[in-house]
Amino acid sequence: MKEFNRKIQVTDSSQPDERELQEARDFSRIVTRLDEARKPLPKRKLYQSKQRWFFLAILLIILILLILLEVF
Amino acid sequence: MGKPVEPGYSVEQELSEIQASLKNPREFEKIYSRHFSTIYAYIKSATGDKNLAADLCSDVFYSALINLAKYTTSEMGIRPWLFGIAINRLRMFFRQSGRMMYVPIDDLKLQQLTEEDLSLEKKERRKQLSAYLSLLNEEEQEFVQLRFVAECSFREIALVKGISEEACKMRLYRLLERMRKSMDKDTLL
């Protein structure tokens, strides 16, 4: 494993005050994230964006071929 | 009654909260509230940034919640396990960002770490200690941080690192010896 050199700076000791802790504490963030992760992925729509144009182009080609077959 | 996790709280009580959290994740809030300040203070001390610390702390507790089924009970409660997750998250963060890690050390601990040396100013001693700690590997830095910043007991550090308490004491003792010798040499030069 590659050795990683972490730069360190020793500073004066300081503890977060009660106000800072109150601001940072937010359990709803975790619950929201969990709910998001558990949400089922939306079903892919079949004819979406690029796929839709590709599908229409193939249909058009088939249609032209059928017309050509009919003519000749 | 088991050994208290903190005054007025037992490992059994915590275990029942963990069981409840596995059934309903919202029950995890009790564990979150009890350990938030310790884990937040630890992350904040290392990053020196309160917004970043809040984000990383949220990652730690989210990770703990989704991996709660993997938690194995210890006589020290869930705290060492949470510290283990926090250490891994911080390790990942510092590797990706390449930022400097802060190690806040008060005057008393600075004295313990560098030994009484009246020839050097506190500021100078902190600078010297920073240079020395930067030479240590990640794991050694984490040992110093857990012991002198988070003020974890040897038993707790041993649980975090997955080693015996004796091995933990020995590693820290050797590390400090090495550090003091090296700093003495630097002072003489």
Side-chain angles (χ1 to χ4, degrees):
Chain A
M1 206 174 83
K2 195 186 161 205
E3 191 67 35
F4 178 76
N5 223 353
R6 195 156 57 184
K7 282 261 175 285
I8 299 280
Q9 189 181 338
V10 176
T11 58
D12 268 322
S13 179
S14 69
Q15 286 294 315
D17 57 26
E18 200 47 48
R19 198 179 151 198
E20 188 185 328
L21 288 172
Q22 283 293 332
E23 281 172 6
R25 190 180 288 133
D26 186 6
F27 186 67
S28 63
R29 242 174 113 173
I30 292 163
V31 175
T32 311
R33 207 167 147 187
L34 189 74
D35 289 343
E36 285 293 319
R38 283 180 172 178
K39 218 183 267 180
L41 289 170
K43 281 181 189 168
R44 284 182 71 189
K45 285 176 188 162
L46 187 59
Y47 312 123
Q48 234 172 8
S49 59
K50 283 180 185 172
Q51 268 185 333
R52 182 174 54 195
W53 290 112
F54 182 71
F55 187 72
L56 282 173
I58 288 175
L59 267 180
L60 197 69
I61 291 165
I62 292 169
L63 202 69
I64 291 166
L65 283 173
L66 281 173
I67 292 167
L68 287 173
L69 275 173
E70 200 68 34
V71 171
F72 300 104
Chain B
M1 277 294 266
K3 201 180 170 186
V5 174
E6 60 182 60
Y9 221 81
S10 73
V11 174
E12 283 79 7
Q13 275 171 295
E14 194 165 72
L15 202 61
S16 70
E17 284 175 1
I18 290 166
Q19 299 293 341
S21 306
L22 285 169
K23 288 176 192 151
N24 178 13
R26 278 163 179 82
E27 291 290 322
F28 189 67
E29 191 169 5
K30 288 172 194 162
I31 297 168
Y32 174 84
S33 301
R34 206 167 42 254
H35 297 285
F36 176 81
S37 43
T38 315
I39 301 296
Y40 174 81
Y42 178 69
I43 296 174
K44 163 84 188 301
S45 72
T47 57
D49 181 331
K50 63 179 183 179
N51 293 323
L52 181 63
D55 288 346
L56 293 176
C57 199
S58 176
D59 286 352
V60 169
F61 280 98
Y62 175 71
S63 183
L65 182 57
I66 59 170
N67 290 299
L68 204 55
K70 293 179 193 162
Y71 168 70
T72 45
T73 325
S74 84
E75 78 275 22
M76 302 296 288
I78 202 168
R79 204 173 96 124
W81 190 65
L82 292 174
F83 264 118
I85 299 173
I87 280 173
N88 286 336
R89 186 66 191 91
L90 280 175
R91 200 181 272 198
M92 208 162 78
F93 167 74
F94 285 113
R95 280 184 184 189
Q96 285 167 350
S97 68
R99 278 167 73 158
M100 185 176 276
M101 186 169 89
Y102 296 98
V103 179
I105 303 270
D106 63 31
D107 291 351
L108 190 74
K109 283 178 207 140
L110 185 71
Q111 203 172 307
Q112 285 173 357
L113 280 165
T114 58
E115 289 193 329
E116 195 75 50
D117 186 357
L118 299 171
S119 64
L120 286 170
E121 289 285 323
K122 275 177 200 160
K123 200 177 157 188
E124 197 57 40
R125 261 195 275 172
R126 282 204 165 89
K127 207 173 146 188
Q128 199 184 38
L129 189 60
S130 303
Y132 187 78
L133 290 178
S134 297
L135 295 174
L136 301 179
N137 66 35
E138 279 177 317
E139 194 164 44
E140 289 170 328
Q141 290 171 348
E142 285 156 10
F143 267 103
V144 173
Q145 244 205 339
L146 284 169
R147 184 69 183 152
F148 294 97
V149 180
E151 297 180 333
C152 289
S153 65
F154 286 115
R155 184 82 198 110
E156 277 184 305
I157 301 172
L159 283 167
V160 172
K161 293 287 173 194
I163 55 174
S164 70
E165 199 175 335
E166 284 68 34
C168 175
K169 280 181 188 170
M170 188 57 80
R171 283 181 75 169
L172 251 169
Y173 174 77
R174 283 184 184 154
L175 177 66
L176 294 180
E177 273 299 294
R178 228 169 66 211
M179 200 158 79
R180 282 178 190 136
K181 273 182 195 163
S182 165
M183 287 175 103
D184 280 349
K185 240 184 259 170
D186 286 350
T187 316
L188 288 171
L189 285 170

